Amino acid sequence: MHFLADKFSRRWFSFGLVAAPLAAACGVGAFAELAEADETPQFARWVVDKNDPPFGMTDTFHRNALAVPIAPFGLGEVELHDGPLKQSAEWNRNYMMRLSVDRLLHNFRVNAGLPSSAQPLGGWEAPGVELRGHFVGHYLSACGLMHASTGDQQIKGKGDQIVSGLAVCQKSLGSSGYLSAFPEELFERLDALKGVWAPFYTLHKIMAGLLDMHTQACNADVLLGVAKWVDAWTASKSPEHMQEILDNEFGAMNEVLYNLASVTGDDRWAVAGDRFTKTKFFNPLALRKDELRGLHANTHIPEVIGAARRYEISQDSRYCNVAEFFWETVVESRTYATGGSSNNEHWETRPCHLGVELEESSHHQECCCAYNMMKLSRHLYAWTAQTKYIDYYERNLFNHRLGTIQPETGLTSYFLSMTPGAWKTVATEDDTFWCCNGTALEEFSKLNDTIYFHDDHGVYVNLYVASVLHWKERGIRLKQSTVFPIEPRTSIVVDESTAEPWVLNLRIPSWTTLDAAISINGKLVEGIAAPGSYLSVKRVWKKGDRVEVQLPMQVRIETIPDNPTWKAFGYGPLILAGQFPATGLNDELLHTNQGPDVAKSPLNVPLIEGGNSALLTKIKAAGAPLFFSLETTRQTITLKPLYQSWERFAVYWKTA
Ligand SMILES: [Zn+2]
């Protein structure tokens, strides 16, 4: 979430692992030159050919839906079985069940002049905080997604109660359709370009929540009322003034309006969505220019998701260009080994300067950024079926997302620090309600959404997760049994099939080795596909057919290309973290701050010595699965998956 910009220390940015292609393009010499330029941060943003920009002040919408080559299954068609994903989903559900509907509705009722005796929530949901209500929107989305995933009637009941409560508030506020936990005065300040946190950001969460509940058979009247208010408010502004208004963070207002246009078939909402096209952000991206330096990351990622949806409902290639190039430059030049991006919520350097970012802050990788980049990846994957999007998704899922939900409590983090000796800060039960806690509610309510996709010819198995797929339309049912990533293998049994042949596409991840192997009913498949692609098997699949997939993992080193003295260790899709006791951490350091202030409790993480080959010889398998030992100059340190690390840890190591 973007704090009021002028109060925020903007010193930042990020980068990463998969950075190899772009890093290679930049070259070592280029890094040196850019590093020098960093000393005088003249932000050259929005450098666009002003004579012929791809996006002008206004746009024209023509509906022309894209037929994607590959599509996700409905959430209700994939059931999670026991494993780390299902466990996290349960922790999240338990947390949601602990939150009271009346407390969530309190600010809305007060704002509507209705009685409420509930104890107000704290943190960013406290009365008087200008973002209040945002978490309620996330909560509604999570209710809708969880019900769609599991048929959970209890959680749907809570969502229904909130929608009903919001309907009463909306009616009490008048006939305009306005609905919020804060008064319209905040929008008046936005209109006057005066200081205000982010009213449209908050409204986006509420609208998205109402839409996610609507898809679960909840009344759409409240949502349509809000949409009418947004349409009227934005239509009353000149295009030039709207561009000024869009300097204030607005979440994915464009996306939710395009989604509404898609669900209702009414172009009115797409036209309203177009008013949220921030031209100075989209124009460079459409021309394949990375001018992200200095930008607040999670302000802009959702806007690109909106661009992706605009492309999907119109096939306007400019929006496709925006989404594809944005993903490419963020993932290839601004992403850490764990899959996350952003530092102090921003990108503060030109591309390929992740080493600079790593050393200048301990507040890396806002969790909302990971959530939204994964969401964007699913769109791009559906357009192309390229496994690079799933490789990236999986890396985020197993390191960043599973790594930022606290076991048992279900409470979640804000930043995931890459500073050696860092720790994970987590929210409190009812006194934080950061943006990232909201996106986490959604994330852990739909962990089944990317395991399988399909096209007309068959099924794509993307993630190795214990689960059942029931493709009702085609009469196909698969059961995947695995303890992945504890063991590098999975087993898929056909429980139901048809007489017609169909294709089973098995992802061979980029991280596996050439020893990957697949057998069908005990017979080894010849000519396995290369890592980073699919092995496709077309046959008449019969009930009882069994597919065994072996995906060997090996320890590897991932460096930061612009500063290869920083190294991280990967093992399959996992990033390994060095383990250190959680000493010196009081409640303030653990909970009050959104990220670990490592400078207030420094830890002397040892240097590691030697080139990559020598370093790999110093890593030995330890007793437990996924545990290793690392020999350093001072001591032997335990390495284990970052997602299992809840003491102090080191992902990146400085090498001597
Ligand atoms: Zn956040």
Side-chain angles (χ1 to χ4, degrees), residues 602-620:
L603 188 73
N604 188 8
V605 174
L607 288 173
I608 54 177
E609 289 184 343
N612 288 357
S613 302
L615 270 176
L616 288 173
T617 66
K618 297 178 181 176
I619 299 175
K620 304 273 193 301

Side-chain angles (χ1 to χ4, degrees), residues 109 165 209 299 390 434 447 464 589:
R109 287 171 171 157
T299 290
I390 301 298
W434 300 322
L447 291 171
Y464 296 114
L589 290 172

